């Protein structure tokens, strides 16, 4: 077990201030007092693990991340259940995906033990920031940047791993169903590209189409496959699922161009356990417009760590829009899956999968 050096802040946020900050934190604007940091060099491997006060980084302007974008990240949450206990949901799956992203970006792979250790040590110091409001959680953002000082284009030999923690509410403002813009101009990932990796570059490339979505009054952008522009891939920051009239749930398959969402995988397994028919198969955008208009597809939802399960009200594109159900309220299958998933994540429901980690402080 690697020892983390703990350096606590001398100016902690008071309980009163924290309460005010956490009253309505929204997403990603409020941060805890500390962060986890681990350094890597080719000579020493991963070393210098510590928990320190959250602070600005000092990096050389020639650090390779600033030029060639070797950056990967993860997103997971710490939950506080009804009894006050803190849980993590499938954090080893995030560790595995983080290692896979590192391999794709040719970065140093962080061992699972260090990934989990950094999160648990940070939670020991900042556990007061895990909200007890069931609509909130503590979002954890592990990430790695390359910080070799060099302008040549090559794999860096130095990296910095950091974990930030941020109390959050819902990702989307408002509680209603979200409108989603179907991008027919831009694509997110091509076969052989980095679509399956959780790297900053994928998100940078999604911002212009995301802005196009916002210009059309939409909260997220939906990407189609890069080859034929025919099949649905995923959204800018979440996977997508559809509910058919017969109650079955369908989602596009993994194939290298979409993120292997841990929420997606959990919903597939949980749904099957609940007796639902869960299908992974290519979903053509034209079929969705027709089936939703004909009432054959009755619900659609976004799923991800930040999004949890968010109902989609409609798809919009240049030639028109189509609503799912009444276009406003979450459908029954969406709600049933959401309730089951959230209960499990918070340690409030039995966990037949062994997914929930209790955090000992
Ligand atoms: N797809 C993209 C592009 C994402 O950014 C995310 C969020 O992490 C997801 C899907 C959902 O993944 P997960 O459920 O593991 O959070
Ligand atoms: C997450 O859900 O953790 C993400 O990284 C997606 C982003 C929209 C915040």
């Amino acid at each position: 077990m690697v020892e983390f050096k703990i350096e606590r802040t001398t100016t902690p946020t008071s309980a009163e201030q924290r309460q005010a900050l956490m009253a309505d934190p929204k997403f990603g604007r409020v941060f805890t007092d500390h962060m986890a940091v681990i350094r890597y060099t080719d000579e020493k491997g991963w070393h210098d693990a510590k928990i320190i006060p959250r602070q600005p980084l000092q990096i050389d302007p020639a650090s390779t991340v600033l030029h060639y974008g070797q950056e990967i990240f993860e997103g997971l949450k710490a939950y506080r259940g009804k009894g006050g206990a803190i849980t993590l949901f499938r954090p080893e799956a995030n560790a595995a995906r983080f290692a896979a992203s590192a391999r794709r970006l040719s970065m140093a792979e962080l061992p699972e033990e260090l990934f989990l250790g950094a999160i648990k040590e940070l939670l020991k110091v900042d556990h007061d920031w895990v909200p007890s409001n069931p609509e909130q959680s503590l979002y954890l953002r592990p990430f790695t940047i390359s910080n070799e000082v060099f302008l040549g284009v090559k794999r860096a030999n130095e990296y910095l791993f950091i974990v930030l923690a941020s109390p959050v509410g819902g990702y989307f403002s408002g509680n209603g169903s979200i409108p989603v813009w179907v991008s027919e101009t831009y694509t997110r990932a091509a076969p052989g590209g980095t679509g399956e990796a959780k790297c900053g570059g994928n998100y940078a490339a999604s911002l212009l189409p995301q802005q196009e979505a916002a210009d059309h009054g939409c909260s997220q952008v939906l990407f189609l496959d890069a080859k034929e522009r025919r099949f649905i891939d995923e959204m800018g920051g979440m996977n997508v699922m559809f509910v058919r009239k017969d109650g079955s749930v369908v989602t596009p398959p993994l194939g290298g161009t979409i993120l292997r969402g841990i929420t997606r995988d959990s919903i597939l397994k949980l749904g099957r356990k609940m007796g639902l028919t869960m299908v992974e198969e290519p979903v053509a955008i034209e079929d969705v417009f027709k089936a939703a208009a004909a009432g054959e597809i009755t619900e659609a939802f976004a799923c991800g760590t930040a999004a949890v399960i968010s109902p989609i009200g409609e798809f919009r594109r240049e030639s028109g829009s189509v609503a799912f159900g009444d276009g406003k309220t979450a459908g029954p299958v969406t709600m049933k899956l959401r309730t089951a998933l959230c209960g499990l994540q918070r340690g409030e429901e039995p966990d037949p999968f062994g997914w929930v980690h209790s955090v000992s402080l």
Side-chain angles (χ1 to χ4, degrees):
M1 181 62 196
V2 175
E3 281 289 312
F4 279 76
K5 205 177 123 204
I6 314 284
E7 184 198 325
R8 282 177 183 267
T9 178
T10 52
T11 53
T13 307
S14 69
E16 207 176 33
Q17 279 172 316
R18 191 170 51 241
Q19 215 178 352
L21 287 167
M22 286 166 64
D24 183 18
K26 312 238 187 286
F27 185 88
R29 299 251 183 225
V30 177
F31 295 95
T32 66
D33 285 335
H34 298 88
M35 62 191 197
V37 181
I38 314 178
R39 293 185 174 276
Y40 173 93
T41 60
D42 276 354
E43 295 75 44
K44 288 196 190 170
W46 291 101
H47 64 281
D48 200 13
K50 53 196 180 189
I51 305 296
I52 57 172
R54 203 180 96 79
Q55 58 195 273
L57 300 178
Q58 268 213 325
I59 59 169
D60 192 285
S63 292
T64 48
V65 66
L66 300 177
H67 303 270
Y68 310 123
Q70 266 191 314
E71 191 270 354
I72 53 169
F73 68 96
E74 269 304 324
L76 67 162
K77 285 172 169 174
Y79 305 89
R80 197 183 291 279
K82 273 187 198 127
I86 295 174
T87 52
L88 291 166
F89 185 68
R90 306 185 72 184
E92 66 293 327
N94 293 94
R97 188 171 65 187
F98 197 55
S101 297
R103 287 194 292 277
R104 180 61 186 86
L105 274 281
S106 196
M107 297 168 73
E109 257 178 66
L110 184 77
E112 177 184 298
E113 183 205 4
L114 284 179
F115 183 93
L116 299 181
I119 288 169
K120 289 182 178 170
E121 292 299 324
L122 181 59
L123 284 174
K124 277 188 198 166
V125 176
D126 276 343
H127 60 88
D128 285 341
W129 293 85
V130 182
S132 40
N133 178 337
E135 299 302 318
Q136 300 177 351
S137 54
L138 186 67
Y139 185 76
L140 298 157
R141 172 49 65 85
F143 66 104
T144 299
I145 57 170
S146 62
N147 66 341
E148 181 179 352
V149 179
F150 182 53
L151 293 183
V153 181
K154 71 157 186 77
R155 173 200 185 277
N157 61 18
E158 282 188 34
Y159 297 90
L160 192 57
F161 169 74
I162 297 177
V163 186
L164 301 175
S166 168
V168 297
Y171 187 71
F172 298 109
S173 52
N175 293 321
S177 296
I178 57 166
V180 169
W181 175 251
V182 181
S183 180
E184 292 166 317
T185 314
Y186 304 104
T187 58
R188 176 181 178 275
T194 57
E196 206 175 50
K198 204 159 165 60
C199 58
N202 288 343
Y203 296 79
S206 77
L207 298 179
L208 181 60
Q210 178 64 35
Q211 184 55 47
E212 194 180 77
D215 292 344
H216 288 87
C218 292
S219 320
Q220 272 284 298
V221 55
L222 180 84
F223 290 108
L224 305 177
D225 79 280
K227 231 171 166 178
E228 298 183 73
R229 312 274 171 113
R230 200 175 142 213
F231 295 102
I232 292 173
D233 265 355
E234 63 173 326
M235 294 194 272
M238 43 213 70
N239 295 113
V240 63
M241 296 199 181
F242 302 92
V243 182
R244 295 175 179 140
K245 196 170 64 177
D246 64 2
S248 61
V249 180
V250 59
T251 193
L254 302 173
T257 59
I258 70 172
L259 201 76
R260 292 173 167 270
I262 295 161
T263 315
R264 174 191 178 282
D265 182 70
S266 305
I267 293 169
L268 286 173
K269 292 182 172 138
L270 192 59
R272 281 179 194 130
K273 192 112 198 152
M274 290 161 69
L276 296 172
T277 303
M278 308 297 288
V279 184
E280 293 174 85
E281 67 183 26
V283 182
I285 188 67
E286 241 13 269
D287 293 348
V288 171
F289 270 78
K290 279 192 203 129
E296 297 291 331
I297 289 179
T298 50
E299 305 174 37
F301 60 88
C303 58
T305 300
V308 192
I309 290 182
S310 299
I312 297 172
E314 61 177 289
F315 276 180
R316 288 185 196 156
R317 59 181 177 183
E318 291 294 352
S319 57
S321 63
V322 73
F324 299 99
D326 67 4
K328 290 189 196 82
T329 36
V333 177
T334 304
M335 285 316 291
K336 197 170 152 185
L337 285 167
R338 192 187 153 98
T339 305
L341 179 70
C342 293
L344 189 56
Q345 287 172 330
R346 288 179 184 278
E348 292 167 357
E349 293 296 331
D351 171 21
F353 305 98
W355 285 341
V356 179
H357 287 226
S358 322
V359 178
S360 46
L361 300 174

